């Protein structure tokens, strides 16, 4: 058990962070002439496209994600519909992820633009911290984010919608009963349209009203989920933030336009690849312990070999010796060289210690 898990699971400091109209915000940022205009991102009307999202100006017209583009244009004839640029969104998401990692290693991404952060171990007040995080994201990306702060994932996620866009909302543990009392049942994950209608038929609209049901009654209505619902409608959620698994290795590689016929030619390329790997390592995984280094070769006939050894340091001479070993196995012309390191498997507790 990690130190973090010793804390009560019901009283943690969780931030749910959600970028505002993420794809659309990126497009508007990159095309300042579009600022203030209704903008959506998705497939063209002519190709029976669907919108992935739209900005808040477009939402005023009733346009929303997953809406067919032709329908969106009926509601908002001036809507500007742009094609998606996933590579740009992914790059931006990685920049944001790096910013979040400055504050806690306990980050659970939900999608490209959404994540839970467990900041229980952080000395600062969680709402102030959410503010600092949002500001850091804006300074770096010129994109706004909204945040919800609460004692668990359920509350934090619901709270992040309360002051969207570019806002945040905190529900302290003391405020949970009042917050849940008024909350529409639909806000609870697991309650979809069908369940909402079922409850409405029983005269139940808010979580406060749902709290009058006993566990067996809820099981009768919703099966096993009824037991969870009994807790959720009281604002209790025992799910922990589950961080992404740390990467096991990091590598860099290059495919050459002309095959390298000799070891000397391969060695010439080694230094540049080595510098790339070192720069990447410093930026992304500066504090991880390295267990092995390796050199991978792909040959002109598309066969491949990897020379790998434990206990070697990631130095140029050590990579050179692995290159020699790999090359001498076949001496075939080389079309690709890859250099990499493998990390020691980290214990979760070890990953968390720096913040405690
Ligand atoms: P969301 O966070 O759901 O939406 P959003 O960021 O556009 O708007 P909000 O301000 O309400 O948070 O989704 C994030 C991105 O995921 C969104 O920009 C586009 C993409 N997406 C789809 O591709 N299809 C969908 O149906 C939805 C909902 C989102
Ligand atoms: Mg979003």
């Amino acid at each position: 058990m990690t130190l973090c898990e010793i804390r009560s699971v019901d009283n943690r400091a969780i931030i749910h962070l959600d970028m505002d109209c993420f794809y659309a915000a990126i497009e508007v940022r990159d095309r300042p002439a579009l600022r203030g205009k209704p903008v959506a991102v998705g497939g063209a009307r002519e190709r029976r496209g669907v919108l992935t999202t739209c900005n808040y100006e477009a939402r005023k017209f009733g346009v929303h994600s997953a809406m067919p583009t032709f329908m969106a244009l009926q509601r908002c004839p001036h809507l500007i519909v742009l094609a998606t640029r996933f590579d740009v969104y992914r790059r931006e998401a990685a920049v944001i992820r790096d910013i979040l990692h400055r504050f806690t290693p306990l980050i659970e991404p939900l999608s490209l633009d959404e994540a839970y952060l467990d900041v229980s171990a952080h000395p600062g007040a969680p709402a102030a911290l959410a503010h600092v995080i949002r500001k850091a994201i804006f300074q770096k990306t010129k994109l706004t984010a909204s945040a919800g702060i609460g004692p668990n994932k359920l509350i934090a996620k619901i709270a992040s919608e309360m002051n969207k866009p570019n806002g945040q909302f905190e529900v302290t543990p003391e405020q949970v009963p009042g917050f849940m009392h008024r909350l529409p049942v639909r806000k609870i994950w697991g309650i979809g349209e069908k369940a909402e209608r079922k409850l409405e038929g029983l005269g139940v609209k808010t979580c406060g009203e749902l709290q009058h049901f006993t566990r067996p009654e809820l099981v009768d209505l919703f099966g096993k989920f009824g037991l969870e619902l009994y807790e959720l409608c009281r604002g209790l959620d025992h799910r922990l933030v589950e961080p992404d698994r740390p990467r096991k290795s990091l590598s860099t590689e290059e495919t050459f336009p002309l095959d390298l016929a000799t070891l000397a030619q391969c060695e010439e390329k080694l230094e540049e690849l080595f510098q790339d790997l070192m720069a990447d390592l410093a930026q992304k995984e500066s504090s991880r312990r390295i267990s092995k280094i390796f050199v991978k070769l792909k040959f002109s006939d598309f066969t491949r070999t990897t020379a790998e050894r434990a206990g070697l340091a990631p130095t140029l001479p050590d990579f050179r010796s692995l290159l020699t070993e790999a090359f001498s196995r076949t001496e075939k012309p080389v079309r690709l060289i890859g250099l990499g390191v493998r990390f020691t498997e980290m214990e979760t507790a070890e990953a968390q210690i720096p913040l405690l």
Side-chain angles (χ1 to χ4, degrees), residues 18-22 113-114 164:
D18 183 4
M19 300 303 295
D20 301 319
C21 57
F22 190 48
D113 87 322
E114 254 181 272
K164 237 180 184 314

Side-chain angles (χ1 to χ4, degrees), residues 9-30:
V9 289
D10 295 322
N11 190 11
R12 308 186 64 77
I14 308 297
I15 297 175
H16 175 256
L17 197 94
D18 183 4
M19 300 303 295
D20 301 319
C21 57
F22 190 48
Y23 299 177
I26 292 173
E27 298 302 343
V28 173
R29 176 199 66 184
D30 294 348

Side-chain angles (χ1 to χ4, degrees), residues 2-306:
T2 68
L3 285 174
C4 271
E5 281 163 359
I6 295 167
R7 291 165 192 277
S8 150
V9 289
D10 295 322
N11 190 11
R12 308 186 64 77
I14 308 297
I15 297 175
H16 175 256
L17 197 94
D18 183 4
M19 300 303 295
D20 301 319
C21 57
F22 190 48
Y23 299 177
I26 292 173
E27 298 302 343
V28 173
R29 176 199 66 184
D30 294 348
R31 299 168 169 83
L34 297 184
R35 194 161 300 146
K37 297 182 179 165
V39 174
V41 178
R45 174 173 42 190
E46 300 71 44
R47 290 199 303 273
R48 301 189 196 184
V50 170
L51 301 183
T52 62
T53 191
C54 61
N55 64 1
Y56 281 76
E57 284 82 347
R59 290 181 199 194
K60 286 184 207 146
F61 293 85
V63 174
H64 56 76
S65 332
M67 179 179 266
T69 306
F70 84 88
M71 200 184 284
L73 284 163
Q74 279 171 356
R75 294 192 180 189
C76 177
H78 306 300
L79 184 68
I80 297 157
V81 182
L82 302 169
T84 46
R85 294 188 298 158
F86 285 111
D87 52 332
V88 178
Y89 312 147
R90 260 198 301 273
R91 213 181 311 137
E92 216 61 47
V95 170
I96 295 165
R97 200 68 48 79
D98 283 349
I99 295 173
L100 300 185
H101 273 284
R102 300 211 302 254
F103 297 92
T104 174
L106 297 179
I107 297 168
E108 180 181 335
L110 293 178
S111 64
L112 267 192
D113 87 322
E114 254 181 272
Y116 288 115
L117 282 75
D118 187 328
V119 294
S120 308
H122 208 282
L129 190 60
H131 199 82
V132 170
I133 293 172
R134 290 173 45 234
K135 197 168 157 197
I137 293 173
F138 185 77
Q139 276 174 346
K140 180 86 183 171
T141 65
K142 295 286 173 284
L143 298 168
T144 63
S146 297
I149 304 105
N152 58 45
K153 285 184 177 182
L154 170 79
I155 305 278
K157 171 119 172 131
I158 297 169
S160 74
E161 289 173 23
M162 309 284 293
N163 264 331
K164 237 180 184 314
N166 199 17
Q168 63 180 61
F169 189 84
E170 180 179 23
V171 182
T172 62
E174 301 71 46
Q175 291 166 339
V176 169
F179 181 74
M180 294 310 293
H181 192 76
R182 293 182 295 275
L183 194 75
V185 286
R186 184 64 194 270
K187 295 282 179 190
I188 293 186
W189 63 263
I191 299 277
E193 214 176 300
K194 206 169 129 205
E196 186 185 27
R197 274 207 305 274
K198 194 168 178 178
L199 286 170
E200 223 173 70
L202 297 165
V204 174
K205 282 197 168 140
T206 65
C207 290
E209 288 158 351
L210 193 55
Q211 286 170 13
H212 293 123
F213 287 71
T214 63
R215 279 195 180 90
E217 283 168 342
L218 288 176
V219 170
D220 269 353
L221 283 168
F222 296 102
K224 227 171 89 188
F225 177 61
L227 289 177
E228 259 177 276
L229 196 53
Y230 184 86
E231 309 256 300
L232 295 172
C233 71
R234 288 166 171 75
L236 300 172
D237 178 7
H238 308 294
R239 295 170 304 158
L240 287 171
V241 169
E242 289 173 22
D244 258 356
R245 292 199 168 282
R247 75 176 99 218
K248 291 184 173 154
S249 64
L250 189 75
S251 64
T252 186
E253 60 184 41
E254 188 178 346
T255 305
F256 307 104
L258 291 176
D259 294 341
L260 310 175
T262 64
L263 179 60
Q265 282 175 333
C266 293
E267 280 182 339
E268 254 175 52
K269 302 286 182 191
L270 194 70
E271 174 142 13
E272 200 181 317
L273 278 163
F274 174 73
Q275 296 303 345
D276 274 2
L277 179 66
M278 289 302 109
D280 221 20
L281 205 53
Q283 204 192 346
K284 295 181 184 155
E285 298 287 358
S286 55
S287 58
R288 298 280 303 278
R289 252 180 278 148
I290 290 165
S291 63
K292 286 181 178 171
I293 68 169
F294 63 88
V295 170
K296 175 175 89 177
L297 297 182
K298 227 186 247 176
F299 301 103
S300 51
D301 59 0
F302 287 87
T303 58
R304 55 169 76 196
T305 188
T306 300

